[in-house]
């Protein structure tokens, strides 16, 4: 009986301080490593394949383009829906929504003045575009917004994961000490290529080892991208027609 009382007392103490207790569980509270026995390259392969299979996710990225800071935050799903915001390298910010192959962008004055019009557009032309689009959405068909750097690319989950697959180094990686990403345990994988180091944070989840974060340091385009809200549907509200300006119509007028 005395031994049982001691056991019960020990259990009570463990329950009372379970959030921060040490020594009560004899190590059983430590999750087993789902990647035990795997090389860093194999973990990267598994992470990429798992992330490619997601039906939706949210991305938040910060970095530099041509030495200018840029921030992008958006959610995208495999049905062609997306929504988010971006801060342009040359100034200003914009909202983006897309569905059914059509994208809409609503920027502030600074955004349109810094990025409006064709490359080489005069200040007068940029000011004119800013005035025309003030408080309105620019409607862009898929063929005019898709491709590298286009807003249509934000809504193309398949293209995003294809780029991820092609650009993720999976040879010669090294596993570093594990870390935490927004409360989730993550395996840390890194690879250095000349002046650039790429580090991947992979969820320590045996069933769904998603990529949680990618960090690039050194090189020409340093930055960080976080991934979250995997498989959560994206609901998009299409801007009212009376609040949009159709790019196709503008192009016809210009021609």
């Amino acid at each position: 009986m005395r031994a049982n009382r001691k056991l019960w007392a020990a259990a009570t103490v463990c329950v009372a301080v379970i959030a921060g207790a040490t020594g009560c569980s004899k190590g059983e509270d430590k999750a087993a490593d789902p990647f035990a026995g795997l090389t860093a390259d194999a973990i990267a392969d598994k992470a990429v394949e798992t992330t490619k299979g997601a039906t939706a996710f949210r991305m938040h990225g910060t970095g530099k383009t041509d030495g200018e800071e840029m921030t992008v935050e958006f959610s995208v799903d495999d049905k062609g829906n997306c929504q988010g915001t971006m801060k342009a390298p040359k100034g200003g910010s914009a909202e983006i929504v897309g569905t059914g192959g059509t994208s809409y962008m609503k920027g502030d004055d600074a955004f349109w003045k810094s990025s409006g019009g064709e490359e080489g557009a005069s200040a007068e032309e940029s000011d004119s575009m800013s005035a025309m689009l003030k408080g309105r959405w620019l409607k862009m068909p898929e063929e005019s917004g898709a491709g590298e750097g286009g807003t249509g690319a934000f809504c193309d989950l398949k293209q995003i994961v294809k780029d991820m697959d092609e650009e993720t180094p999976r040879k010669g990686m090294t596993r570093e000490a594990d870390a935490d990403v927004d409360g989730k345990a993550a395996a840390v994988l890194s690879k250095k290529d000349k002046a650039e180091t790429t580090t991947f944070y992979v969820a320590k989840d045996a069933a769904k080892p998603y990529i949680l974060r990618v960090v690039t340091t050194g090189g020409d385009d340093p930055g960080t991208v976080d991934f979250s809200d995997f498989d959560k549907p994206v609901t998009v509200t299409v801007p009212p027609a009376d609040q949009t300006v159709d790019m196709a119509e503008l192009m016809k007028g210009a021609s």
Side-chain angles (χ1 to χ4, degrees), residues 13-220:
V13 172
C14 281
V15 170
V17 296
I18 193 167
T22 59
C24 292
S25 61
K26 295 183 181 180
E28 293 177 357
D29 60 328
K30 296 182 179 179
D33 184 357
F35 307 130
L38 294 180
T39 64
D41 292 355
I43 298 171
D45 278 336
K46 184 181 288 289
V48 169
E49 289 305 311
T50 302
T51 305
K52 284 170 60 178
T55 59
F57 51 67
R58 173 176 169 270
M59 294 177 65
H60 178 268
T62 59
K64 288 187 176 182
T65 299
D66 297 328
E68 300 287 339
E69 291 287 345
M70 180 175 183
T71 301
V72 176
E73 181 172 354
F74 67 98
S75 298
V76 59
D77 67 19
D78 60 358
K79 295 179 175 59
N81 299 312
C82 71
Q83 63 178 357
T85 60
M86 67 178 293
K87 181 179 178 182
K90 296 180 181 180
S93 60
E95 299 175 64
I96 302 166
V97 299
T99 187
T102 301
S103 301
Y104 302 81
M105 177 178 285
K106 182 180 181 181
D108 58 19
D109 286 345
F111 178 86
W112 292 124
K113 286 180 179 180
S114 65
S115 60
E118 298 180 355
E119 185 175 353
S122 67
E124 183 178 353
E125 289 170 327
S126 294
D127 288 345
S128 176
M129 181 174 227
S130 175
M132 177 180 60
L133 293 172
K134 186 177 181 64
R136 306 177 75 184
W137 295 84
L138 180 62
K139 177 182 178 181
M140 298 168 289
E142 184 175 20
E143 57 270 20
S144 65
E148 184 177 355
T151 57
F154 288 158
C155 296
D156 191 341
L157 181 65
K158 290 182 179 179
Q159 185 62 48
I160 292 172
V161 296
K162 180 176 181 291
D163 291 343
M164 179 190 301
D165 188 6
E166 294 175 350
E167 296 175 10
T168 300
R170 303 206 284 284
K171 296 295 182 183
M173 301 197 78
T174 300
R175 184 169 179 180
E176 312 291 350
D178 292 349
D180 179 277
V181 177
D182 295 331
K184 296 182 177 65
V188 181
L189 317 173
S190 68
K191 181 175 182 178
K192 186 170 184 178
D193 184 8
K194 298 180 180 178
E196 184 176 278
T197 299
T198 304
T199 306
F200 290 85
Y201 295 75
V202 180
K204 292 183 67 177
D205 184 327
K208 294 186 176 182
Y210 289 121
I211 295 175
L212 300 178
R213 176 175 291 165
V214 180
V215 179
T216 304
T217 57
D220 298 328

Side-chain angles (χ1 to χ4, degrees), residues 1 12 15 80 89 110 127 135 156 190 203-204 228 234-235 251:
M1 291 298 293
T12 302
V15 170
D127 288 345
D156 191 341
S190 68
K204 292 183 67 177
S228 60
V234 178
T235 301
M251 297 301 290

